[in-house]
Amino acid sequence: MTMSPEYVMPLLSVETQQSTTNLVLADYDPLSRQVLSDALRAASGPEGRRLRLLACLDSYTPVETWPGLDHADVVVLAPCPQADTDATIRLLVARGVRVVLLLARWDNLALNRAMAAGASGCLVKDLEVDRIPAAVQAVACGYALLSAELITLYRPASPHGGHAAADLGKLTGLPLTGREHEVLSLLARGMSTAETARALGVSPTTVKSHVSHALPKLNARNRLEAVLMIKNAD
């Protein structure tokens, strides 16, 4: 799946087959909220997979009161700088909702915390709102999504504090096997599990097994984190 200039990769083994993505837009800025809602509604045409905007609201509103949340697949969240964004993401993820987080300014700490909280998408909030509907669709299909600007920004935290070592083999003392590194490198190029399996002449189950074995070696919390570590180290 190609969405240049964003970087996407599948997190789930099977994409959802539903034809409509239900979403809630929560943005603290009323002007931005209007622009984003217009873009999302304009993308909700009858062809192919449709977007249905269930609610458009101020992100400062308590999550428990958000209308449409019980039926939402994805929340597009643009919080105010003072908000407890991590807590909001965790609340939404606990309800089975995927989150696309929009921030105007990102740093390593914000990205690391958003990923740890369970955000499925992390995007730079800018004027190119026409890319947001495609991002929502990708996340709804089980993809993780990062703005291109955030890929090199990402530096995983080590379990002992600070940042993880650049040498992947030193993270746990358990170096990756050649095949594990090969699998993660192909995934880092944007290949799906099935595409990686075909390229290596193995089954998708074998690819998933290599990823599962690599995660603890890298001290990675999830597949996206492992792939980003490989992408930044290569």
Side-chain angles (χ1 to χ4, degrees):
M1 184 171 188
T2 303
M3 285 184 56
S4 179
E6 282 87 16
Y7 174 72
V8 295
M9 66 164 293
L11 287 184
L12 306 180
S13 58
V14 179
E15 295 184 4
T16 178
Q17 299 300 311
Q18 66 188 57
S19 60
T20 300
T21 297
N22 295 319
L23 70 143
V24 170
L25 170 63
D27 189 337
Y28 80 101
D29 184 319
L31 178 58
S32 170
R33 189 162 66 241
Q34 183 62 55
V35 172
L36 285 172
S37 65
D38 287 347
L40 290 166
R41 288 191 175 100
S44 303
E47 296 82 12
R49 188 181 179 89
R50 297 188 301 114
L51 295 178
R52 178 186 294 141
L53 186 59
L54 301 178
C56 180
L57 50 92
D58 187 340
S59 61
Y60 203 69
T61 307
V63 172
E64 295 79 7
T65 66
W66 290 8
L69 196 55
D70 289 340
H71 304 288
D73 302 302
V74 178
V75 165
V76 177
L77 176 63
C80 65
Q82 297 77 27
D84 188 349
T85 303
D86 301 348
T88 300
I89 294 172
R90 287 191 172 92
L91 280 173
L92 294 169
V93 171
R95 298 181 67 143
V97 181
R98 295 170 186 160
V99 179
V100 175
L101 180 62
L102 307 180
L103 295 180
R105 296 182 180 179
W106 286 91
D107 57 23
N108 167 257
L109 179 61
L111 181 58
N112 207 32
R113 288 171 64 120
M115 291 180 61
S120 296
C122 297
L123 303 180
V124 177
K125 186 179 183 183
D126 55 27
L127 298 179
E128 297 183 66
V129 297
D130 56 310
R131 298 190 302 191
I132 302 300
V136 171
Q137 298 286 36
V139 167
C141 287
Y143 284 77
L145 180 70
L146 290 179
S147 288
E149 300 91 330
L150 303 183
I151 297 173
T152 55
L153 176 66
Y154 177 73
R155 293 291 182 274
S158 79
H160 307 295
H163 297 302
D167 185 346
L168 297 176
K170 294 179 180 179
L171 289 176
T172 62
L174 298 173
L176 297 178
T177 66
R179 183 47 63 95
E180 287 166 355
H181 192 283
E182 192 173 17
V183 164
L184 291 175
S185 294
L186 291 176
L187 292 172
R189 288 163 51 187
M191 287 189 179
S192 67
T193 298
E195 290 168 338
T196 299
R198 286 194 294 270
L200 298 178
V202 299
S203 70
T205 300
T206 299
V207 170
K208 295 174 192 175
S209 177
H210 285 308
V211 173
S212 296
H213 290 146
L215 293 183
K217 293 181 180 181
L218 298 175
N219 281 322
R221 292 167 294 200
N222 52 50
R223 172 169 154 164
L224 175 60
E225 191 166 275
V227 168
L228 288 175
M229 292 166 73
I230 291 291
K231 192 174 184 68
N232 287 331
D234 284 347

